[in-house]
Amino acid sequence: MAMASSQIAFMHNIKNNFSLAKIDKSWTLFLDRDGVINYEKKLDYIHKWSEFKFYEDAIEAIAILNKHFNKVIIVTNQKGVGKGLTKEEDLREIHANLAKAVENAGGKIDAFYYCTALSNDDICRKPNPGMGIQAAKDFSDIDLQKAVMVGNNISDMEFARNLGVHSVFLQTTNPDLALPDARIDLHYPTLWHFAQALDKL
């Protein structure tokens, strides 16, 4: 579904005084994919599973995060499919293999949402909140007041704000981003560091 950005009723619910101590098993974790779980391909897309390379400790980090969150959900822009550069069946294979790798490490990905839209005005394309809204419709136990978005780009942080959830920025691909930033609640070097910080509470 596409619409002009001026027509999208974003929540823009800026979060204050957020700390990891608030998280319990009633919370939902939204995760970006590329640059969070796996290495990005510079100026390109990951087209096949053979090109998919996990960050060190990323799989183990997800297994740790499963102990602290009710659900772990991937939300990822996949413009390569929309451009015809990546086959959708290959994207599904990537996600199936990703889920299996996480399962083998004792973790679980509850759902994958991906947006192939080319237009930045499409409500499903981050930073627009459509994928998060759809997840909340699909899972009745998701409370967006108890949810966190983890990503490596400002568009992920804006997605969090537009959805009305907390934001955690990973410095994997943008280590020089000026902080603090009003769109970012917390920041960590990698997903492993985030998981470790939460697990030590």
Side-chain angles (χ1 to χ4, degrees):
M1 178 171 59
M3 61 181 70
S5 58
S6 62
Q7 294 175 301
I8 300 172
F10 292 169
M11 296 175 70
H12 288 297
N13 184 7
I14 302 299
K15 300 295 182 178
N16 295 309
N17 301 318
F18 172 58
S19 73
L20 297 184
K22 294 183 178 182
I23 295 171
D24 60 31
K25 280 294 287 183
S26 66
W27 282 57
T28 298
L29 176 63
F30 291 103
L31 284 179
D32 182 36
R33 196 192 81 181
D34 302 330
V36 170
I37 298 171
N38 59 283
Y39 288 93
E40 293 183 336
K41 282 178 69 180
K42 191 173 181 65
L43 302 177
D44 198 359
Y45 305 99
I46 294 171
H47 304 293
K48 295 180 179 294
W49 174 245
S50 60
E51 302 172 335
F52 191 96
K53 305 298 179 187
F54 285 103
Y55 278 125
E56 184 179 3
D57 297 326
I59 300 175
E60 292 79 4
I62 294 172
I64 291 170
L65 292 166
N66 281 129
K67 297 190 303 181
H68 299 278
F69 288 92
N70 179 40
K71 284 186 169 54
V72 175
I73 295 174
I74 306 296
V75 285
T76 175
N77 288 341
Q78 293 296 322
K79 210 172 187 177
V81 176
K83 290 181 176 180
L85 302 173
T86 306
K87 294 180 180 179
E88 194 157 10
E89 56 264 36
D90 289 332
L91 177 63
R92 292 196 183 106
E93 181 185 16
I94 289 170
H95 289 168
N97 288 337
L98 193 169
K100 185 64 175 177
V102 170
E103 183 180 335
N104 289 342
K108 180 183 179 183
I109 303 294
D110 292 276
F112 290 84
Y113 292 86
Y114 59 88
C115 180
T116 65
L118 300 181
S119 171
N120 290 335
D121 287 337
D122 192 293
I123 194 170
C124 84
R125 181 170 173 77
K126 292 183 294 182
N128 302 336
M131 288 188 283
I133 292 170
Q134 187 60 52
K137 289 179 180 178
D138 292 343
F139 296 96
S140 61
D141 55 346
I142 290 180
D143 179 356
L144 293 178
Q145 295 298 311
K146 296 180 177 181
V148 179
M149 173 65 196
V150 176
N152 64 308
N153 289 305
I154 285 298
S155 63
D156 297 313
M157 305 297 96
E158 292 174 342
F159 167 86
R161 291 294 182 241
N162 291 335
L163 188 60
V165 306
H166 301 286
S167 62
V168 173
F169 180 74
L170 302 185
Q171 297 164 297
T172 49
T173 60
N174 293 292
D176 299 324
L177 180 73
L179 297 168
D181 186 299
R183 296 164 291 189
I184 298 171
D185 291 322
L186 297 172
H187 59 89
Y188 297 92
T190 69
L191 189 63
W192 173 254
H193 287 87
F194 170 59
Q196 287 293 294
L198 186 56
D199 206 39
K200 290 176 180 177
L201 292 178

